[in-house]
C-alpha cells in the first residue's frame, strides 16, 4: 500500500509516519521509485503498537526506541529481552531516600520473595522501585510486612505466569518482544483500572 | 519545632518547604513572631505524604493540590472523596481512538463488571481508561474476553476490599483521604513491581 493508505489504515497522520520513518521507529517500505515506497501489514501493525505504547501505555518515544532496538539486536538472547524491556519501563528511583530505610525495605522484600519462591536477580530495577515504595509507606506509618507483600504477590502470580507463557513455542523474535511489552504495559493498565473500579465498588458498599 | 527542624525531620529542603507554604500545599505554622512560626508532627507527616506522592507515586503537585483541597472541603461527603481522588489520578484518554472500537470495549467491560458483581458508575474515569486499553489490545490482535477481565478483577478483589476498609470507624477526614490516596497510589506501585518480578521469575523458569 502507499503511504497515504498506510496512514488511513493505522489512523496515524502522514506527518507522524514520516517522523517515525526518519527516527527509525518504523522500518522503511520497499522502494518503488525515486520518492515512493510500498508498505504492508507489518507497517500497519508496528504503527498500532507505537500508538498503543504512547497513548495508552504513556511510554516515551525514547523508551519505545530502546525496546524496539533490543528486539532487533540479534546479539541479545530472547530470555534477556524481558530484562531490557523492564529496564526501559522502570522509573528512576528517588534520590532523596534514606539508605537505611531502603535497606530495611529490601530485607522485607527478600523475605517475601523467598516465601513466594520467586527466583529473581536482586539487582532487578523492580526490586529497587519496590524498596523505595515500601520505605515511603513506612515513613507514612503503614506497616508493610513480608506477609503482606506475599499476599499481593500471590494474587497476581498465576496471571503473570500466563502473561509470559508466550515464550514457549517458535514465535519470531519481534513477536515475542511485542507480547512481553504489550503484556507488561497494557495489562498493567487493565489491572490498575480494574483495581480502581474494585475500590469504587467496595467503597460504595460501605458508604 | 522551627522551620529548620521541620526541614531536618522531613528531609525536605527549606526552599521547598517555603514553596509548599506559598502554594498552600503545607498549612502555615503557628505564628510566634513577625517572621517566625512553629511546626508540629502534622507538618512533618504532610511533607512525607507530598514526598511519597511526588517521588514514588509520580503525581504532579497540581494533582496533589486537587486531592488535598478535596480532603479539606467539608462540603464534599467522605464517600465522594474516593471519586475526586481517582479523577485526579486518571490519565487523559487518547483523542485518536475509534469510537466504535471503544464502544465495543465498553460492552465487554459491562459484561465483566456484571459477572464480578461490581456496582460502579459507568461514567467512572477508570471505565473510560479501561475501554481505551481494551480497544488498543484488540487493535494489536489480542483477544480480550469478558472472562479474561473477570479473572484479573477476581485476582485483586479481596485486596481492594481490604484497601478501602479504613472507611469504617471514626478516623478524621484527612486521615481517611490519605489512606485512600496512599492505598491507591503506593499499593498500585507495590502491585506493579511485584508483577514485574513475577514476570522475571516465570520467564527465567522457562528460559
Amino acid at each position: 500500500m502507499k503511504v497515504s493508505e498506510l496512514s488511513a489504515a493505522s489512523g496515524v497522520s502522514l506527518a507522524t509516519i514520516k517522523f517515525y520513518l526518519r527516527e527509525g521507529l518504523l522500518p522503511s517500505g520497499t522502494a518503488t521509485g525515486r520518492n515512493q515506497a510500498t508498505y504492508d501489514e507489518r507497517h500497519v501493525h508496528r504503527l498500532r503498537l507505537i500508538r498503543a505504547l504512547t497513548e495508552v501505555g504513556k511510554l516515551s518515544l525514547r523508551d519505545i526506541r530502546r525496546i524496539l532496538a533490543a528486539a532487533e539486536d540479534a546479539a541479545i538472547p530472547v530470555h534477556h529481552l524481558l530484562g531490557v524491556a523492564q529496564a526501559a519501563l522502570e522509573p528512576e528511583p528517588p534520590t532523596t531516600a534514606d539508605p537505611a530505610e531502603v535497606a530495611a525495605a529490601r530485607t522485607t522484600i527478600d523475605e517475601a520473595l523467598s516465601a513466594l519462591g520467586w527466583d529473581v536477580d536482586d539487582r532487578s530495577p523492580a526490586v529497587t522501585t519496590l524498596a523505595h515504595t515500601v520505605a515511603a509507606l513506612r515513613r507514612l506509618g503503614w506497616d508493610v510486612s513480608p506477609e503482606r507483600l506475599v499476599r499481593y504477590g500471590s494474587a497476581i502470580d498465576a496471571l503473570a505466569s500466563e502473561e509470559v507463557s508466550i515464550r514457549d513455542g517458535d514465535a519470531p523474535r519481534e513477536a515475542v518482544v511485542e507480547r512481553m511489552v504489550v503484556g507488561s504495559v497494557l495489562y498493567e493498565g487493565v489491572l490498575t483500572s480494574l483495581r480502581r473500579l474494585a475500590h469504587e465498588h467496595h467503597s460504595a458498599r460501605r458508604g
Side-chain angles (χ1 to χ4, degrees), chain A:
Chain A
M1 65 186 85
K2 293 183 202 166
V3 68
S4 56
E5 293 163 320
L6 177 63
S7 170
S10 61
V12 175
S13 74
L14 220 53
T16 303
I17 289 176
K18 287 180 179 164
F19 173 71
Y20 290 163
L21 284 166
R22 263 198 319 273
E23 295 286 315
L25 284 158
L26 183 69
S28 310
T30 309
T32 53
R34 183 192 286 270
N35 263 316
Q36 281 215 314
T38 59
Y39 300 87
D40 58 31
E41 278 308 314
R42 284 171 305 170
H43 293 91
V44 177
H45 189 87
R46 170 64 70 94
L47 287 171
R48 286 183 182 147
L49 176 62
I50 297 173
R51 256 182 75 187
L53 294 177
T54 52
E55 296 179 3
V56 182
K58 309 290 176 198
L59 290 199
S60 69
L61 289 180
R62 191 172 141 264
D63 289 338
I64 296 173
R65 188 183 297 116
R66 282 168 66 188
I67 293 167
L68 293 174
E72 284 158 10
D73 181 353
I76 300 176
V78 167
H79 65 278
H80 285 175
L81 285 174
L82 180 66
V84 173
Q86 287 200 340
L89 300 176
E90 210 64 37
E92 287 291 311
T95 50
T96 56
D98 178 334
E101 287 172 357
V102 175
R106 287 193 71 118
T107 306
T108 303
I109 292 164
D110 287 344
E111 274 182 56
L113 291 174
S114 153
L116 283 161
W118 289 357
D119 181 22
V120 301
D121 189 332
D122 55 353
R123 292 158 305 174
S124 283
V127 171
T128 307
T129 304
L130 183 55
H132 284 276
T133 307
V134 169
L137 279 164
R138 286 184 172 158
R139 270 199 303 275
L140 291 167
W142 294 54
D143 173 36
V144 187
S145 62
E147 293 71 33
R148 193 158 175 82
L149 296 181
V150 168
R151 291 186 49 225
Y152 277 82
S154 304
I156 43 89
D157 190 51
L159 291 168
S161 168
E162 211 178 291
E163 283 159 1
V164 297
S165 68
I166 185 66
R167 287 275 311 285
D168 300 319
D170 302 312
R173 189 180 170 88
E174 180 165 331
V176 172
V177 178
E178 182 183 318
R179 296 283 302 198
M180 282 178 181
V181 175
V182 169
S184 194
V185 174
L186 296 193
Y187 269 105
E188 182 175 306
V190 167
L191 198 60
T192 300
S193 296
L194 285 170
R195 182 167 165 271
R196 290 187 182 166
L197 293 170
H199 284 161
E200 182 181 332
H201 165 65
H202 288 294
S203 178
R205 283 181 61 205
R206 294 165 188 278

